[in-house]
Amino acid sequence: MALRFTHLCNSLGRAVCQPCSVLRYSTALKVTDPSELVVERLDGDLAGTVVIGLNRPKAVNAFSKNLLALFGNAVEDIKHDSSLRAVILRSMAPGMFCAGADLKERATMTPSEVGPFVSSLRAMLANFQQLPVPTICAIDGIAVGGGMEMSLTCDIRIASNNAKLGLVETKLAIIPGGGGTQNITRLVGPAIAKELLFTGRVIDGDEAHRLGIVNHVVPQNEEGDAAYRRSLMLAQEIVPQGPIALRAAKQAINTGNDVGLATALTIEQLCYAMTIPTKDRIEGLTAFREKRKPQYTGE
């Protein structure tokens, strides 16, 4: 299988080696309550990390038109930020992550409104999945339906042991519509993915870890934010690395995962080559020679 590139990005601030045909997020939805999403930029050892916090506790962080607009706008705001190093997705409310779509609001929609809403949700999740920097999902509670689909768009997932995860759409006579069928299959293989979807089974954090759905499982704490705290620790390991290299590594893995090995190795070569002329590469070599920590600038 040959992969044709119509162009290679000149800057790793955009997705490296990314084909042009990608799903773009676009919505006419309007923000009515900005408090439903919290976006925080961290500093100190975590400078360059952005935390996106879902904040609809009364609705188990279910995706409404308002939350969809807020989340989509937040992703658009950060995706071209050259200072961005990592993104953590979390819930601001203990005991929950996200229950998927807001079914109460969905019930008020006409059939002609449902399609565009689901398309906007799918495009928003795809846009988030295409962020060029490492993304971490902290699952400290319920993550079902579209909530689990959202977690699957992240590069790394961390769950508390009492978290509840499931693609439960078949219980409602539908299927996942935000990439869930494809992302779960790439994680656990078709046989396990089919069992989870066919049964609509909900599993805890330990089982999710055993199946390879989450990278780490941690005992929940009294505050209900154990997965988030572990996510901060992981981000602290990621942030010091060369930012251009992080973006190139993510793109090489994501793009290479969908093609044959020979093509994937070519993709890796192209992404590697784009790190060679950077100032960061020289800084890394100099810091190694001088036995000090490198100070990367993303140039």
Side-chain angles (χ1 to χ4, degrees):
M1 176 182 178
L3 179 65
R4 294 183 178 179
F5 293 101
T6 56
H7 73 282
L8 288 177
C9 297
N10 293 323
S11 169
L12 286 178
R14 299 172 61 191
V16 184
C17 310
Q18 178 175 300
C20 289
S21 57
V22 295
L23 187 60
R24 299 295 184 188
Y25 168 77
S26 176
T27 179
L29 299 175
K30 295 182 179 180
V31 172
T32 57
D33 181 2
S35 70
E36 291 188 347
L37 192 77
V38 177
V39 180
E40 182 182 6
R41 291 179 179 271
L42 305 184
D43 54 21
D45 291 342
L46 286 164
T49 302
V50 169
V51 178
I52 300 177
L54 307 177
N55 192 37
R56 291 193 76 209
K58 292 182 179 179
V60 200
N61 290 333
F63 261 96
S64 61
K65 293 179 180 178
N66 181 67
L67 185 56
L68 174 58
L70 286 168
F71 197 96
N73 291 343
V75 174
E76 286 293 318
D77 286 343
I78 66 174
K79 70 178 184 179
H80 296 305
D81 182 355
S82 61
S83 69
L84 193 64
R85 300 291 183 263
V87 174
I88 297 175
L89 179 60
R90 66 168 302 198
S91 167
M92 304 304 295
M96 64 186 73
F97 175 68
C98 177
D102 188 332
L103 297 183
K104 290 183 179 180
E105 182 182 76
R106 180 75 62 85
T108 67
M109 296 182 187
T110 65
S112 62
E113 291 175 319
V114 173
F117 176 82
V118 174
S119 294
S120 293
L121 179 60
R122 183 183 302 115
M124 180 274 291
L125 291 176
N127 203 27
F128 179 72
Q129 191 164 8
Q130 291 161 7
L131 281 176
V133 299
T135 55
I136 306 168
C137 185
I139 308 171
D140 276 307
I142 299 169
V144 295
M148 184 170 177
E149 286 189 277
M150 183 191 304
S151 76
L152 294 174
T153 65
C154 288
D155 299 311
I156 298 169
R157 281 156 298 283
I158 299 173
S160 61
N161 61 333
N162 66 344
K164 301 298 181 183
L165 301 90
L167 293 169
V168 298
E169 284 84 352
T170 53
K171 293 179 182 293
L172 297 172
I174 57 175
I175 68 170
T181 62
Q182 304 308 304
N183 287 323
I184 190 66
T185 301
R186 283 161 171 75
L187 278 177
V188 301
I192 299 299
K194 287 174 182 177
E195 181 176 343
L196 292 174
L197 267 71
F198 292 169
T199 62
R201 184 179 302 150
V202 175
I203 60 177
D204 62 19
D206 289 317
E207 180 69 1
H209 183 249
R210 187 185 71 80
L211 292 175
I213 296 172
V214 302
N215 297 63
H216 305 280
V217 60
V218 292
Q220 188 55 280
N221 57 29
E222 292 183 3
E223 293 78 11
D225 65 353
Y228 174 61
R229 294 192 184 192
R230 181 65 180 87
S231 297
L232 290 173
M233 294 171 62
L234 182 57
Q236 203 165 15
E237 292 184 71
I238 292 171
V239 166
Q241 315 311 320
I244 295 176
L246 289 173
R247 293 171 181 239
K250 176 170 178 173
Q251 191 61 43
I253 293 170
N254 286 357
T255 309
N257 190 50
D258 293 328
V259 299
L261 179 59
T263 303
L265 291 173
T266 300
I267 292 169
E268 179 187 81
Q269 181 181 4
L270 290 168
C271 292
Y272 179 90
M274 298 183 77
T275 68
I276 297 301
T278 64
K279 295 179 180 178
D280 279 353
R281 186 183 72 88
I282 302 303
E283 166 62 11
L285 292 173
T286 303
F288 178 80
R289 185 176 64 250
E290 296 176 353
K291 297 182 180 180
R292 60 173 175 81
K293 290 184 179 180
Q295 300 296 319
Y296 294 124
T297 61
E299 298 177 275

